[in-house]
Amino acid sequence: KQWYQRRVAITAGILGGGIASMFFMFVLTAIGNLEGIMMGKGFELQLIPEVAFSLVLSLVVAGSIHRVSITCCVIFSLVILYFMNSISQKTHGVSEAAPTKLEKKKRR
């Protein structure tokens, strides 16, 4: 009986972390859409205010489910953030610094 309860608790923690990481994705998308409407289409999400706020909010949700859910939520959210970033770069182009102009040396 004890083994079964422990297994159910761990399974609930992992499942709770997955659900909370999906909540992270939805909150981050909602914030990005709201900022896109308010500040224009060219606005990008930043790491510190928007992503950190969404992650903390999802960790609070995960913590209300189970302690194991917090750790799983962090791992799953970082994986989701990586794939969201790669999809965004493929769709909207790479946002890098402008390339510097190389000067050619003249031969004498």
Side-chain angles (χ1 to χ4, degrees), residues 50-97:
E50 295 93 2
V51 175
F53 173 75
S54 301
L55 185 62
V56 167
L57 191 62
S58 66
L59 290 178
V60 169
V61 169
S64 68
I65 297 171
H66 196 270
R67 290 184 302 184
V68 177
S69 298
I70 297 172
T71 307
C72 293
C73 179
V74 169
I75 295 169
F76 295 155
S77 295
L78 291 178
V79 170
I80 286 174
L81 187 62
Y82 172 77
F83 283 111
M84 285 177 71
N85 187 30
S86 65
I87 290 170
S88 175
Q89 285 183 354
K90 287 178 185 174
T91 305
H92 301 292
V94 180
S95 112
E96 295 179 357

Side-chain angles (χ1 to χ4, degrees), residues 18-40:
I19 292 170
S21 64
M22 294 299 286
F23 179 75
F24 164 76
M25 182 181 68
F26 293 139
V27 169
L28 189 62
T29 303
I31 290 173
N33 288 339
L34 182 66
E35 286 183 349
I37 291 170
M38 293 175 67
M39 297 185 195

